Amino acid sequence: QPVEATDDAFWDQFWADTATSVQDVFALVPAAEIRAVREESPSNLATLCYKAVEKLVQGAESGCHTEKERQIVLNCCRLLTRILPYIFEDPDWRGFFWSTVPGAGRGGGDEDDENARPLAESLLLAVADLLFCPDFTVQSHRRSAVDMAEDIHSIDSCEYIWEAGVGFAHSPQPNYIHDLNRTELLKLLLTCFSEAMYLPPSSDSSNANPWVQFFCSTENRHALPLFTSLLNVVCAYDPVGYGIPYNHLLFSDYREPLVEEAAQVLIVTLDYDSSTSSSPTVDGTTTGTAMDDVDPPGPDNLFVNYLSRIHREEDFQFILKGVARLLSNPLVQTYLPNSAKKIQFHQELLVLFWKLCDFNKKFLFFVLKSSDVLDILVPILYFLNDARADQSRVGLMHIGVFILLLLSGERNFGVRLNKPYSVRVPMDIPVFTGTHADLLIIVFHKIITSGHQRLQPLFDCLLTIVVNVSPYLKSLSMVAANKLLHLLEAFSTTWFLFSAVQNHHLVFFLLEVFNNIIQYQFDGNSNLVYAVIRKRNVFHQLANLPTDTQSIQKGLQRKRKTPEPISRTNSQDGVSMEGSRPAAPAEPGTLKTSLVATPGIDKLTEKSQVSEDGTMRSLEPESSQPPPEGTLPSAGSDGEAWSGEASLPRRDRRRLSSASSSGQWTPTPDWVMSWKSKLPLQTIMRLLQVLVPQVEKICIDKGLTDESEILKFLQHGTLVGLLPVPHPILIRKYQANSGTAMWFRTYMWGVIYLRNVDPPIWYDTDVKLFEIQRV
């Protein structure tokens, strides 16, 4: 039956009990009961919600001085965390928290304007106040008991920031009770924001999350200290502690759950589509983050605004060191297995790093200017290599590749890759001696040749990254050079080229890599030149690719008979690094969440040309001009690359490819000719023409069979004046778009859904943003 709102004895029993934990609340309040109350006595559910919010508001008003008040606040917090997902899953209830409850403002005395606050706003403001409540969530500044308790309204919460770091120098004494209380409040906050999970994915960026919008607006007087606290708590966290091995087994680490929660709240509040709103800055360019005298009005999301305004070198250093330390944590090799605590929130960290680079261009340039960028690169390559066979981690693969794509658009990244790779992270890749560029190429080769089937849409991205850095690679190792040629060999077989409409793009990318290295870095790259000479038949076959119908059919027949040649191993792959374990497929029964398709590479990137002085200028989109000779025709315009749409205008498409009755695309001679004529083979053919006779002559004259002599000859050779005029360097820079913004939203909430299992906040509720699948 409906219970009167005034029946305090009845309602108080929900939060009066002292000995509950959040796990108890989840056990005592089963999902079926919440749904039954929602359907059968909605007025009771409404009363319960607004009573619980009222208790939080009262706690925030009074400052929670007694143990009893704190207990009530925590219990209300847990109860709301339990109930909110069931309010969100029912469209009829979704507006409930945005309505005003009559008389709900009673707590504030006779202020009438308070009565008009929607429930959601009262809840969010109370949580914000409670997060800076002396002796409850922050250390009190009272000198003695004589001082009156601090008035919660007069305290300046900026003095109570949780951790030293950006904009705050004082590191408060750690207090595990405060950490636990903060964690519970942040859990409730995250649950409030999770309304986004119950709406289907839409590319309409206007449907901003009203909870996040309000919380990150000027209405929240704690926005700045809270943003700073969350960021600093994450970046200052050191899971290894004071370096005593096994210390995580001796005592519990109260920081870690807080850091995880802080990272999740942070990335959700920063969920903002930067492609739709860039305000022009003083110099007329459109980055919303210029730190000029006259700051452009930033986004009204204060968290995004604050993030984009960080500009002090020491702040950047603190953030980058913190993120790199945490990302490298799973790689930390100690002689004592399990001696260091292994963190689990690397996916949230990658999203946070992405947001930092996306919203704060100064941070991006800071990262690229120091070789600390390699401390981000190595863990990402480790995760990519480790997750490549596991289909439940496809999302992790995507975000790692997106970050590398973003970094590769800047010249400094390519230059940094020339640093020798000496740290030996145990990865199951061939042993090599070389640079970080070699590591990158070897890992990418491994992903392409032995990764999970669903990674195919990433091949374009992986090769774009290699193209972007290739003009700056001073000397590739023999292992990496052979890997690149092995990819070209696999991608240029006739069955592969003819079996899907986008496949030839991969050959274009690889040829562009070889051309860039030969034209801009010929001197140090004798290994690559030698590998090209050894595999010269691959280039000759490409130049003589048959284009008649019969040969096309024959090429496609071959595919059915032979297993994929791309997964065969090379002779030199025998030895893997010490201590490495092969990438394991997903454990059976693992849950994974679905992801929306990522845009094709032409939507993800925009071409820029590097001029003599190293500056870049953006090229016109190709629709307005014919593509220059030898560049890549843009990928299909409909959704995902590889979706089976040709790289030509619609009318030509129909003419060149005949659609069979089944609607299946089939290759035609015209179609093959349309791209074969554009293959950029001139530079390599000229190189072979000059060098092959010389190398053969040496071998005959000296009776050589030894590679080292030939390499020595190639090192001293020069092709000055013999090669065609160097082509301009083309870089494909990542550009923000609503497609990736939507991808990040589904990925981020999927990670949060799967990571919150204790208690299982969203488990078994009717989420709409993604599907939950079992592997």
Side-chain angles (χ1 to χ4, degrees), residues 359-410:
F359 296 146
N360 191 326
K361 289 295 168 263
K362 286 210 153 119
F363 176 73
L364 177 63
F365 294 129
F366 175 83
V367 170
L368 289 164
K369 165 175 101 178
S370 70
S371 49
D372 291 347
V373 66
L374 302 175
D375 298 337
I376 300 283
L377 169 76
V378 173
I380 289 178
L381 291 175
Y382 172 85
F383 293 131
L384 291 178
N385 187 55
D386 189 52
R388 68 179 193 275
D390 180 347
Q391 57 168 319
S392 69
R393 293 197 280 168
V394 172
L396 169 63
M397 300 290 296
H398 275 78
I399 185 172
V401 172
F402 282 155
I403 289 175
L404 297 182
L405 179 66
L406 179 72
L407 296 175
S408 75
E410 307 298 335

Side-chain angles (χ1 to χ4, degrees), residues 116-340:
R117 262 216 194 283
L119 207 51
E121 296 188 2
S122 308
L123 170 57
L124 291 171
L125 292 177
V127 172
D129 278 340
L130 288 164
L131 284 167
F132 292 100
C133 192
D135 288 325
F136 179 52
T137 48
V138 291
Q139 208 70 40
S140 170
H141 289 184
R142 273 187 311 172
R143 297 285 168 275
S144 65
V146 185
D147 282 0
M148 265 311 290
E150 290 154 288
D151 174 19
I152 194 87
H153 295 286
S154 63
I155 69 170
D156 173 6
S157 45
C158 284
E159 294 172 13
Y160 289 89
I161 287 170
W162 302 349
E163 187 59 70
V166 176
F168 193 67
H170 165 68
S171 196
Q173 217 26 56
N175 178 324
Y176 81 93
I177 302 281
H178 294 175
D179 278 1
L180 293 175
N181 294 342
R182 292 165 178 174
T183 306
E184 299 226 34
L185 286 161
L186 290 179
K187 243 190 221 339
L188 172 57
L189 204 48
L190 196 60
T191 311
C192 291
F193 296 157
S194 71
E195 186 183 40
M197 281 197 211
Y198 298 90
L199 303 168
S202 80
S203 52
D204 177 18
S205 53
S206 64
N207 70 13
N209 185 330
W211 295 83
V212 172
Q213 233 174 345
F214 177 79
F215 191 76
C216 299
S217 72
T218 47
E219 294 268 353
N220 178 358
R221 69 186 180 107
H222 303 293
L224 179 60
L226 194 60
F227 167 76
T228 315
S229 295
L230 295 172
L231 184 63
N232 291 355
V233 156
V234 172
C235 295
Y237 179 54
D238 183 2
V240 181
Y242 300 105
I244 316 158
Y246 299 104
N247 65 359
H248 65 289
L249 303 177
L250 303 178
F251 55 84
S252 213
D253 174 2
Y254 295 99
R255 244 315 119 112
E256 189 183 24
L258 174 66
V259 174
E260 285 194 10
E261 217 60 52
Q264 292 175 359
V265 169
L266 203 49
I267 60 178
V268 170
T269 49
L270 295 171
D271 177 20
Y272 181 83
D273 184 355
S274 61
S275 66
T276 51
S277 53
S278 41
S279 41
T281 56
V282 179
D283 57 356
T285 57
T286 52
T287 54
T289 57
M291 309 296 281
D292 303 308
D293 303 334
V294 196
D295 265 329
D300 30 350
N301 175 328
L302 289 179
F303 280 36
V304 174
N305 207 334
Y306 296 144
L307 184 77
S308 69
R309 286 165 186 266
I310 298 172
H311 60 278
R312 288 173 31 209
E313 293 260 319
E314 55 268 43
D315 289 344
F316 287 156
Q317 188 63 33
F318 165 75
I319 294 171
L320 181 58
K321 278 270 184 276
V323 173
R325 177 191 329 112
L326 290 171
L327 283 178
S328 313
N329 160 275
L331 291 56
V332 172
Q333 260 319 90
T334 54
Y335 292 108
L336 307 164
N338 305 324
S339 64

Side-chain angles (χ1 to χ4, degrees), residues 499-550:
S499 61
V501 73
Q502 302 278 343
N503 285 2
H504 61 278
H505 289 187
L506 300 173
V507 170
F508 275 84
F509 281 135
L510 284 163
L511 290 175
E512 207 175 324
V513 171
F514 295 131
N515 287 339
N516 281 341
I517 293 179
I518 290 167
Q519 296 203 318
Y520 290 97
Q521 300 290 348
F522 179 81
D523 286 351
N525 274 298
S526 51
N527 286 328
L528 184 81
V529 174
Y530 179 60
V532 168
I533 292 174
R534 271 188 45 224
K535 291 279 184 192
R536 55 190 177 276
N537 62 324
V538 178
F539 299 97
H540 290 304
Q541 278 165 5
L542 262 177
N544 302 316
L545 192 71
T547 55
D548 56 291
T549 312
Q550 199 182 355

Side-chain angles (χ1 to χ4, degrees), residues 699-719:
C699 292
I700 293 165
D701 289 356
K702 301 194 173 167
L704 278 186
T705 48
D706 183 19
E707 282 185 3
S708 58
E709 289 289 327
I710 301 169
L711 285 169
K712 206 175 288 173
F713 162 72
L714 290 173
Q715 269 161 13
H716 301 304
T718 171
L719 290 176

Side-chain angles (χ1 to χ4, degrees), residues 4 92 187 283 285 294 353 425 451 465 498 509 518 545 548 551 657 670 687:
E4 280 301 310
D92 298 338
K187 243 190 221 339
D283 57 356
T285 57
V294 196
F353 182 76
V425 174
I465 294 165
F498 298 157
F509 281 135
I518 290 167
L545 192 71
D548 56 291
S551 307
S657 62
D670 281 356
L687 172 129

Side-chain angles (χ1 to χ4, degrees), residues 605-617:
T605 55
E606 131 190 274
K607 285 194 184 152
S608 307
Q609 200 169 318
V610 183
S611 23
E612 308 281 289
D613 57 0
T615 54
M616 291 199 188
R617 63 185 185 85

